[in-house]
């Protein structure tokens, strides 16, 4: 064999080997994106996300697509923008801290406590019991069930590196199959004709309000950090690669949410001649399921609710535990925080869904707009270059949110109050003023430095 031929064979071997390695790497990336994307879908898709869309369909009838688009913008749109902003910034605190370190940390701690043992996690067990257990048996009380529910949650949460895999590989497929079965049955055999008598100019605004009121993006800081940590544990050490994969997983999860929400909204529209806006959201979902599949359908619904709540509980427990471990520089161990959350939540869940929701609404009404306002500003960080716009917007939004929670009539007179964004225009105005003031101060400082030189 001539030397040139040997070199050619060796070169070709390395090219083939390189392409093979790149192909395997690309396939691994795709699998990891799907697993994390599925897990993210399940974390966001809780029981409240299951009951909102059918109600929107009932109140919209033949115009359900208009309300649905508003809902998607108010929920999935904000989720996607928030994950993008936090991933690019590096952390949730990198955004919130622009309004002041104490302000940012305080907001983040209150948020994580609400997402953790105080509100969101206990609600998952209470909802599962009321929709998946209570309708079928009276042989188990809520206290016993909550212990079982959070024992399972703790068991599947205790190893943080495996949480995304457990949810994405095993629990989400079951949830998706049950949802596809329910929605598919509704498309193949519609329950009725769409109501064409519903006419309103507020359908898009109503959908937008409903989507915004899910407040799903409240958990975005901890969830984004947890996603990036999950990719790190899978061997992606480059920060930019983690950001890229996190955003891709978020897009996949968002597409899944859009498809499921669309199907559920359509199911609601098919019974819009049978029900109106006075129907209970939970009662509506049960009625739709019964009409589609009879009594066995309630078992399917029970599975959907149980897995939707369980995956959310696992995800939020992991996210909250990881946050408090990081914020205390590991003085509070992940495992101990997870145990505390599960024990506390097991106790708190027994007060019932209605009580938990009544306690959560005022708190979430106050802190959610502040988070969204600062995230929106961070998307334009090349324009809002100083800290002053974030400080003014953060505190202005906080004050307006408190006044809104107190139900002062004047708050309903502000622009965009009907869709829950009465804080948006004032926040943008003070941010612009803050940017101009900040720019002037920077010019003065630069001039002073030049004079010294």
């Amino acid at each position: 064999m001539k030397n040139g031929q040997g070199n050619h064979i060796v070169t070709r071997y390395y090219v083939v080997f390189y392409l093979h390695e790149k192909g395997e790497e690309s396939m691994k990336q795709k699998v990891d994106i799907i697993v994390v994307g599925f897990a993210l879908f399940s974390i966001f898709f809780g029981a409240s996300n299951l009951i909102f869309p059918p109600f929107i369909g009932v109140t919209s009838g033949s115009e359900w697509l208009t309300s649905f688009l508003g809902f998607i913008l108010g929920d999935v749109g904000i989720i996607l923008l928030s994950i993008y902003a936090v991933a690019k910034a590096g952390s949730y605190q990198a955004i919130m801290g622009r309004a002041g370190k104490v302000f940012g940390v305080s907001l983040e701690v209150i948020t994580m406590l609400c997402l953790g043992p105080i509100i969101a996690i206990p609600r998952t067990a209470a909802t599962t019991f009321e929709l998946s257990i209570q309708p079928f048996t009276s042989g188990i009380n809520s206290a016993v069930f909550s212990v079982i529910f959070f024992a399972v949650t703790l068991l599947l949460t205790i190893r943080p590196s495996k949480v995304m895999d457990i949810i994405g590989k095993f629990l989400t497929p079951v949830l998706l199959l049950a949802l596809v079965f329910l929605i598919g049955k509704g498309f193949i055999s519609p329950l009725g004709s769409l109501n064409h008598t519903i006419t309103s100019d507020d359908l898009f605004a109503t959908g937008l309000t409903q989507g915004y009121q899910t407040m799903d993006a409240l958990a975005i800081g901890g969830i984004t950090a947890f996603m990036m940590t999950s990719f790190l544990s899978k061997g992606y050490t480059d920060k930019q690669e983690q950001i890229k994969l996190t955003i891709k997983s978020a897009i996949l999860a968002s597409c899944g949410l859009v498809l499921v929400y669309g199907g559920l909204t359509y199911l609601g529209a098919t019974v819009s001649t049978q029900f109106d806006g006075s129907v209970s959201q939970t009662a509506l979902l049960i009625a739709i399921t019964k009409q589609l599949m009879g009594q066995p359908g309630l078992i399917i619904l029970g599975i959907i609710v149980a897995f939707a709540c369980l995956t959310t509980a696992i995800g939020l427990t992991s996210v909250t535990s990881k946050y408090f471990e990081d914020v205390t520089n590991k003085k509070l161990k992940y495992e101990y925080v997870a145990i505390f959350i599960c024990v506390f939540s097991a106790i708190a869940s027994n007060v019932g869904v209605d009580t938990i929701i009544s306690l959560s609404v005022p708190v979430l009404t106050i802190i959610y707009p502040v988070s969204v306002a600062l995230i929106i500003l961070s998307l334009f960080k090349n324009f809002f270059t100083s800290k002053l716009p974030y400080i003014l917007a953060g505190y202005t939004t906080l004050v307006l949110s408190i006044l809104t929670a107190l139900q002062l009539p004047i708050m309903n007179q502000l622009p965009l109050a009907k869709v829950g964004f009465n804080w948006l225009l004032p926040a943008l105005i003070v941010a612009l003023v803050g940017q101009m003031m900040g720019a002037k101060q920077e010019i003065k400082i630069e001039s002073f430095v030049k004079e010294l030189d």
Side-chain angles (χ1 to χ4, degrees):
M1 183 185 292
K2 293 182 179 180
N3 189 47
Q5 288 177 320
N7 289 337
H8 177 69
I9 292 172
V10 170
T11 302
R12 187 168 63 181
Y13 168 79
Y14 277 114
V15 169
V16 172
F17 178 77
Y18 173 78
L19 291 176
H20 176 71
E21 286 292 303
K22 292 299 288 183
E24 284 191 349
E25 181 182 341
S26 176
M27 181 57 67
K28 180 182 182 301
Q29 277 194 3
K30 289 176 181 176
V31 171
D32 290 338
I33 288 169
I34 291 171
V35 169
V36 176
F38 272 27
L40 183 62
F41 168 88
S42 288
I43 291 171
F44 280 119
F45 191 78
S48 61
N49 305 75
L50 180 64
I51 63 177
F52 273 141
F55 185 76
I56 292 172
V58 161
T59 55
S60 305
S62 60
E63 300 296 322
W64 68 272
L65 194 57
T66 302
S67 296
F68 167 69
L69 291 174
F71 181 83
I72 291 302
L73 180 62
D75 182 47
V76 180
I78 292 178
I79 288 173
L80 202 51
L81 286 177
S82 299
I83 291 178
Y84 176 83
V86 174
K88 285 290 187 181
S91 71
Y92 188 64
Q93 187 53 223
I95 295 174
M96 299 300 117
R98 291 173 185 170
K101 186 175 181 180
V102 174
F103 182 90
V105 171
S106 299
L107 180 68
E108 195 170 34
V109 168
I110 293 170
T111 299
M112 297 312 294
L113 286 173
C114 289
L115 291 172
I118 296 177
I119 295 170
I121 296 176
R123 189 172 65 182
T124 59
T127 303
T128 305
F129 179 75
E130 292 185 15
L131 289 179
S132 298
I133 305 299
Q134 207 170 35
F136 301 106
T137 177
S138 58
I140 181 171
N141 62 41
S142 62
V144 173
F145 173 77
S146 63
V147 171
I148 297 171
F149 184 90
F150 285 109
V152 174
T153 300
L154 181 61
L155 180 66
L156 299 178
T157 302
I158 205 69
R159 296 180 65 188
S161 62
K162 298 294 182 182
V163 170
M164 285 294 185
D165 285 345
I166 290 169
I167 299 176
K169 288 182 179 178
F170 304 108
L171 300 180
T172 303
V174 177
L175 173 61
L176 284 173
L177 282 173
L179 284 167
V180 167
F181 191 78
L182 176 65
I183 294 170
K185 185 71 166 62
F187 269 87
I188 295 169
S189 307
L191 295 175
S193 58
L194 308 185
N195 189 346
H196 291 273
T197 63
I198 299 174
T199 56
S200 173
D201 296 329
D202 297 328
L203 291 177
F204 180 83
T206 301
L208 181 65
T209 305
Q210 293 280 331
Y212 172 74
Q213 287 178 351
T214 63
M215 300 188 183
D216 281 337
L218 195 61
I220 222 69
I223 289 175
T224 304
F226 203 75
M227 290 170 67
M228 294 178 74
T229 301
S230 178
F231 281 118
L232 178 63
S233 70
K234 293 178 184 295
Y236 303 98
T237 55
D238 181 70
K239 195 74 173 178
Q240 291 303 313
E241 189 173 32
Q242 291 173 19
I243 292 172
K244 181 182 72 173
L245 296 178
T246 296
I247 292 172
K248 286 183 177 180
S249 294
I251 292 172
L252 175 63
S254 297
C255 290
L257 289 170
V258 169
L259 290 173
V260 171
Y261 288 154
L264 292 171
T265 305
Y266 175 75
L267 291 187
T270 61
V271 294
S272 55
T273 56
Q274 303 174 36
F275 301 96
D276 56 27
S278 64
V279 66
S280 159
Q281 294 177 348
T282 304
L284 173 65
L285 183 61
I286 292 172
I288 289 173
T289 308
K290 261 189 173 183
Q291 288 189 43
L292 281 173
M293 292 177 284
Q295 196 66 23
L298 295 182
I299 298 174
I300 300 293
L301 179 60
I303 292 171
I304 293 172
V305 171
F307 275 83
C309 290
L310 182 61
T311 51
T312 300
I314 292 168
L316 293 182
T317 300
S318 300
V319 166
T320 308
S321 301
K322 184 71 170 63
Y323 169 77
F324 282 108
E325 182 184 55
D326 291 343
V327 83
T328 60
N329 293 319
K330 297 193 174 181
K331 290 178 182 177
L332 291 175
K333 297 294 184 184
Y334 173 92
E335 294 83 0
Y336 299 152
V337 179
I339 291 170
F340 170 78
I341 288 173
C342 288
V343 171
F344 187 92
S345 297
I347 297 169
S349 65
N350 288 281
V351 303
V353 175
D354 291 339
T355 304
I356 293 172
I357 291 174
S358 66
L359 291 172
S360 67
V361 169
V363 179
L364 299 179
T365 301
I366 292 171
I367 61 177
Y368 188 56
V370 181
S371 301
V372 177
L374 294 177
I375 285 171
I376 290 173
L377 291 188
S378 74
L379 294 171
F380 303 96
K381 63 180 181 179
N382 292 333
F383 180 80
F384 296 108
T385 53
S386 66
K387 284 190 174 181
L388 192 56
Y390 297 90
I391 294 171
L392 292 178
Y395 280 98
T396 298
T397 306
L398 178 63
V399 171
L400 292 176
S401 298
I402 292 172
L403 296 177
T404 300
L406 293 173
Q407 298 182 346
L408 295 185
I410 192 172
M411 302 309 298
N412 295 324
Q413 305 303 315
L414 293 175
L416 303 177
K418 287 186 177 180
V419 291
F421 288 91
N422 56 1
W423 50 268
L424 182 58
L425 194 57
L428 290 177
I429 290 172
V430 298
L432 289 170
V433 172
Q435 178 58 31
M436 289 187 288
M437 291 171 63
K440 287 181 180 179
Q441 290 297 325
E442 288 174 4
I443 292 171
K444 287 181 180 179
I445 292 170
E446 288 178 3
S447 300
F448 180 70
V449 171
K450 285 181 181 178
E451 288 179 7
L452 289 178
D453 291 340

